[in-house]
Amino acid sequence: MNKIGTLIAAVAIVGCFARPKAPVDTETTLVEAEAFADLGGWSVDQQFMDQMGSSYLLAHGLGHPVADAKTRVALPTAGKYRLWVRTRDWVAPYGAGQFQVLVDGAIVGTFGKGGSGAWDWWDGGIVTVASVPTEVVLRDLTGFEGRVDALCFSRNLAGAAPPNGKDFAWRRQALGYPEQAPSAGSFDFCVVGGGFAGMCAAVAAAREGLSVALVQDRPVFGGNGSEECRVIPQGKWGNGPFPKNRNIMEEIRALIPKHQGPAYDDNYKPDSAAWDRWLRAEKNLTVLASQRATSAETKNGRIMRIIVRDIRTGKEQSVSATIFADCTGDAALAEAAGAETMWQARYALKEGLGSSTWWAASNRCEDVSFPSLPWACRVEDELDALTPAETKFDVVDGGSWSWETGFYRDPVRDGEDIRDTMLRGIWGWWDFAKNRSPKKANYAKMEIYQMGYILGKRDAHRIIGDYIVTEEDLVQHKVYPDGVVDTTWFIDLHTPHGEFRTAGCTDSVKIQSYPIPYRCFYSRDIANLFMAGKDISGTYRAMASFRVQNTTAQMGSMVGKAASLCVRNGWTPRELGRDHFDALKAALEK
């Protein structure tokens, strides 16, 4: 196990969570930034913790410095410490996201400019702490995505930096948490992922009488359809062999505010609080929000339990269940459990599925200046940023879903760089529009007032089942006897237009309403693992059809009912489809 100095300390963050009972090491104190008592204007970003080791604080200020994040740290004693700060210059060497650290009101250093561009511990030098507990402040200087993972105060003034990696063992010890995560409960069914598919799977199973846990790594539900991503639900429903798969989805849609404005696509904003209340009202359902599933314990090809980690405090819990469902959209649970997955980049073809972040601008009463940004994606012509259709308008007042990037990159392993490229593309366009465009007078009073930092992903790692549905199945309408959930969206792949835009659909082949085989909804490797959502067993081009939310929601409803049959009868998902498919049909028809 890695060590910091001789031992790794426990930390107490006053006002955020209780002091750990483990003995405090007087050498080193770890402070997780996301666990600050007062986050100010900083946001907790958990999207990439599997790659870089933790959630972190992000200064997503739309070009305006966010309010200070503050906490009080119970250091062992007053005196001298060496301060280490884990951060990165996300556009090295420009320092787009610089910030300061203050200890007891004194600025001890400016961070976020320099280094390799990777996550690392930065040496903040020697600080003198006059009294304990001491106040620590993070002060954003730019409003352009400064980020902080953790701070470390070391009494060993000449010591080495803390371990740098995604291994959580040293953090667990430093925070005084037990090596064995306490149990959050044992359930019949555990659903990981709180998008449309996950919500429907959890509610469907709970209404069948199962005890259900729903694990979601954000404080809000809806996934791509949440208020954080704002992807409007698409796809027809009710055309397939089991039209009642749509019922729970329609409850979700009924909670979306009906008056979205004249341009529904651009103004779509669901009521996340209403979805949260709806889920928590389900009597057999335990909601575990802001919890990231980080690992899975398997035995004889079955998942026995998973470990979930609070995205703010880092506290871990275990969740045991008879049956699990991966509704993450990234195959995250399946990969943690060792199931085989697939992902294909489309390098050889002029098509892809990237990721987007929604943004919008509006007019102010007076001119609004905007700085030139040398670190943003360079735009020198209207067509570099807009499709031909969009150039008919003198003013762009919002970013549609044609703002897209990461077409040929792994949406999981390259996720942070994909998101950051998207932000650099938006700001590069805005720099051009405000400062260099021949039409810049049209933008003089405009200011970006909303922009997402949670990626809206189209692409996905997919879990291999007993069958892999293909484009040929959809286009040639090869119907199998175990078809259960219809996909209706066309083969919807996109043509890249530069690094951060799409010129629209590459392939708009229409399909008939197609029932996806049941064999695509469970893992061929893990005996008790279902999947619902865009990570089901299908090829890249088939996913271009079944990835939309009105379709994935119906998948979730079917999987929830299938899970209830498996639990009650002691069947695996495979046994249900192979030996008892009539029982599933009856459940889906009623």
Side-chain angles (χ1 to χ4, degrees), residues 145-204:
E145 321 310 325
R147 54 202 73 183
V148 191
D149 171 16
L151 300 88
C152 206
F153 291 84
S154 177
R155 298 272 296 187
N156 186 348
L157 303 184
N164 188 33
K166 67 179 184 179
D167 181 11
F168 191 73
W170 68 272
R171 295 183 192 244
R172 185 184 300 114
Q173 186 179 356
L175 296 170
Y177 296 156
E179 290 189 15
Q180 297 297 320
S183 175
S186 182
F187 301 87
D188 296 322
F189 186 41
C190 176
V191 179
V192 179
F196 275 47
M199 289 192 291
C200 287
V203 169

Side-chain angles (χ1 to χ4, degrees), residues 21-79:
K21 294 182 179 179
V24 174
D25 174 14
T26 58
E27 287 295 308
T28 308
T29 301
L30 173 67
V31 183
E32 292 278 18
E34 64 272 15
F36 269 37
D38 179 2
L39 299 183
W42 295 69
S43 302
V44 177
D45 190 344
Q46 91 307 331
Q47 297 172 92
F48 319 112
M49 60 192 292
D50 296 339
Q51 287 70 50
M52 54 77 64
S54 175
S55 52
Y56 58 84
L57 285 190
L58 183 72
H60 186 61
L62 305 184
H64 303 285
V66 304
D68 294 349
K70 304 175 183 179
T71 200
R72 297 185 67 79
V73 180
L75 294 168
T77 182

Side-chain angles (χ1 to χ4, degrees), residues 280-302:
R280 294 178 190 275
E282 207 62 51
K283 68 176 183 178
N284 295 321
L285 178 58
T286 298
V287 174
L288 298 173
S290 297
Q291 305 291 319
R292 176 93 170 187
T294 59
S295 61
E297 178 185 316
T298 61
K299 183 178 180 181
N300 298 326
R302 299 177 66 95

Side-chain angles (χ1 to χ4, degrees), residues 227-247:
E227 66 181 40
E228 295 183 318
C229 293
R230 298 195 182 188
V231 180
I232 185 172
Q234 297 280 15
K236 298 177 182 178
W237 60 87
N239 297 328
F242 305 107
K244 293 184 180 179
N245 276 335
R246 72 186 187 214
N247 291 355

Side-chain angles (χ1 to χ4, degrees), residues 202-495:
V203 169
R207 291 179 181 177
E208 292 293 323
L210 299 194
S211 60
V212 182
L214 175 58
V215 178
Q216 164 71 337
D217 65 358
R218 293 298 299 165
V220 300
F221 290 87
N224 276 355
S226 72
E227 66 181 40
E228 295 183 318
C229 293
R230 298 195 182 188
V231 180
I232 185 172
Q234 297 280 15
K236 298 177 182 178
W237 60 87
N239 297 328
F242 305 107
K244 293 184 180 179
N245 276 335
R246 72 186 187 214
N247 291 355
I248 296 176
M249 176 199 68
E250 289 182 335
E251 292 183 39
I252 293 174
R253 290 180 62 93
L255 295 173
I256 298 172
K258 297 186 183 303
H259 302 290
Q260 297 285 348
Y264 182 56
D265 281 11
D266 292 337
N267 291 281
Y268 167 74
K269 184 178 180 180
D271 186 343
S272 293
W275 286 348
D276 191 85
R277 291 191 299 269
W278 175 74
L279 289 166
R280 294 178 190 275
E282 207 62 51
K283 68 176 183 178
N284 295 321
L285 178 58
T286 298
V287 174
L288 298 173
S290 297
Q291 305 291 319
R292 176 93 170 187
T294 59
S295 61
E297 178 185 316
T298 61
K299 183 178 180 181
N300 298 326
R302 299 177 66 95
I303 300 174
M304 307 306 293
R305 66 173 190 155
I306 63 173
I307 302 300
V308 301
R309 186 181 305 153
D310 190 288
I311 66 171
R312 282 204 63 191
T313 67
K315 287 184 176 180
E316 294 177 311
Q317 301 179 86
S318 67
V319 179
S320 302
T322 303
I323 298 288
F324 290 83
D326 188 324
C327 301
T328 63
D330 285 329
L333 174 58
E335 292 183 346
E340 187 176 359
T341 62
M342 56 183 166
W343 175 76
Q344 303 102 338
R346 307 299 291 178
Y347 293 107
L349 302 174
K350 295 180 180 180
E351 62 190 17
L353 285 171
S355 301
S356 298
T357 55
W358 182 88
W359 67 273
S362 64
N363 276 301
R364 303 306 187 200
C365 296
E366 56 189 23
D367 286 0
V368 181
S369 63
F370 188 75
S372 178
L373 302 177
W375 49 263
C377 292
R378 191 71 177 174
V379 174
E380 295 295 352
D381 183 83
E382 211 85 12
L383 283 174
D384 287 342
L386 301 178
T387 64
E390 289 170 321
T391 59
K392 296 176 183 178
F393 303 97
D394 289 332
V395 174
V396 175
D397 61 0
S400 70
W401 291 109
S402 59
W403 290 75
E404 184 176 353
T405 196
F407 298 98
Y408 309 129
R409 304 186 68 187
D410 188 321
V412 176
R413 293 168 179 81
D414 299 327
E416 188 171 16
D417 287 340
I418 291 171
R419 190 275 308 276
D420 291 347
T421 299
M422 188 74 259
L423 297 179
R424 290 177 61 215
I426 296 170
W427 288 126
W429 153 248
W430 203 239
D431 181 2
F432 167 77
K434 296 283 286 186
N435 299 318
R436 301 189 308 280
S437 169
K439 300 179 181 179
K440 66 181 182 180
N442 293 332
Y443 303 93
K445 291 182 169 58
M446 297 197 76
E447 182 177 38
I448 292 179
Y449 71 97
Q450 288 185 342
M451 185 189 298
Y453 66 92
I454 302 294
L455 268 181
K457 298 179 184 178
R458 293 174 180 84
D459 201 352
H461 288 198
R462 279 150 284 118
I463 306 158
I464 297 180
D466 277 347
Y467 186 75
I468 301 173
V469 68
T470 69
E471 176 191 22
E472 289 73 22
D473 290 331
L474 274 59
V475 173
Q476 298 176 19
H477 203 66
K478 296 179 181 177
V479 177
Y480 297 94
D482 62 339
V484 284
V485 176
D486 267 27
T487 181
T488 60
W489 199 245
F490 55 91
I491 306 296
D492 182 11
L493 291 163
H494 296 175
T495 303

Side-chain angles (χ1 to χ4, degrees), residues 557-574:
S557 295
M558 183 278 295
V559 161
K561 291 189 175 184
S564 71
L565 291 171
C566 290
V567 169
R568 288 175 178 168
N569 296 285
W571 300 330
T572 65
R574 176 180 285 119

